[in-house]
Amino acid sequence: LTALTGAAMPAAEGDILHAYLTSRELVARLDAAVGLRARLARAHGRDPLFSLAPEGPVDELLHHWERLLRISHDPGSGLIVLEVQAFTPADAQVIGAALLAESERMINALGDAARAEATRHAAAALAEAGARLAGARAALAAFRARTGMVDPAADIGGRMGVLGALQA
């Protein structure tokens, strides 16, 4: 029995990870990475009730995986605690380490996708701001050409000074 605890994560990521932990994709990845089927079928001759048939269908492997994995998930804090059961402590540790690595890979992929989307939105906002700036510069250049004023603020300041002097 191996217990794995991870850092707290946002609730949405925790829910996604919780679903991923019992998914067919994760079981296939673990089978390819650490030979999950072979590790769970080792005791088939000695324990036919709890061990996995070596050549059983993928659905049987998935069902067996769900029986050997205990997930404690607190949606409020995002904390997930996993207990992996296997026939030997070494197998539980190997499966648990591979499970942790696959979980980290999936969460990192989610983070990368979120970062890419945020970058896309920022680039769109930058392009919009650039277009507004170009429009404002064009409007200012048109105003200067039409009125003959280079600096409207300085021109108004000068006119206010003349007006102030005349009023005095």
Side-chain angles (χ1 to χ4, degrees):
L1 178 70
T2 296
L4 302 172
T5 52
M9 64 184 76
E13 286 182 358
D15 292 341
I16 293 169
L17 181 58
H18 186 272
Y20 180 68
L21 291 170
T22 57
S23 71
R24 184 181 300 263
E25 178 186 352
L26 174 69
V27 170
R29 286 179 171 275
L30 289 177
D31 193 24
V34 297
L36 184 62
R37 181 183 297 273
R39 290 178 188 276
L40 299 180
R42 273 192 194 150
H44 187 60
R46 296 185 315 260
D47 188 358
L49 187 59
F50 288 103
S51 66
L52 178 70
E55 297 301 322
V58 174
D59 288 336
E60 187 177 323
L61 176 60
L62 183 61
H63 176 70
H64 199 75
W65 170 250
E66 289 172 353
R67 284 186 9 206
L68 297 179
L69 179 67
R70 305 247 192 277
I71 304 170
S72 300
H73 177 220
D74 179 13
S77 69
L79 187 65
I80 294 179
V81 178
L82 302 173
E83 292 179 16
V84 178
Q85 297 178 1
F87 291 105
T88 67
D91 282 346
Q93 286 181 338
V94 168
I95 293 168
L99 180 62
L100 182 61
E102 282 299 319
S103 299
E104 286 175 351
R105 182 202 58 77
M106 196 270 301
I107 291 297
N108 289 340
L110 285 176
D112 292 345
R115 247 186 321 280
E117 185 173 342
T119 302
R120 259 193 319 276
H121 286 296
L126 177 64
E128 181 182 330
R132 283 196 330 259
L133 177 62
R137 284 183 175 165
L140 182 60
F143 174 78
R144 286 178 177 163
R146 188 176 68 247
T147 62
M149 282 189 230
V150 175
D151 186 3
D155 187 65
I156 297 236
R159 289 180 188 212
M160 290 303 290
V162 169
L163 246 162
L166 287 173
Q167 285 179 345

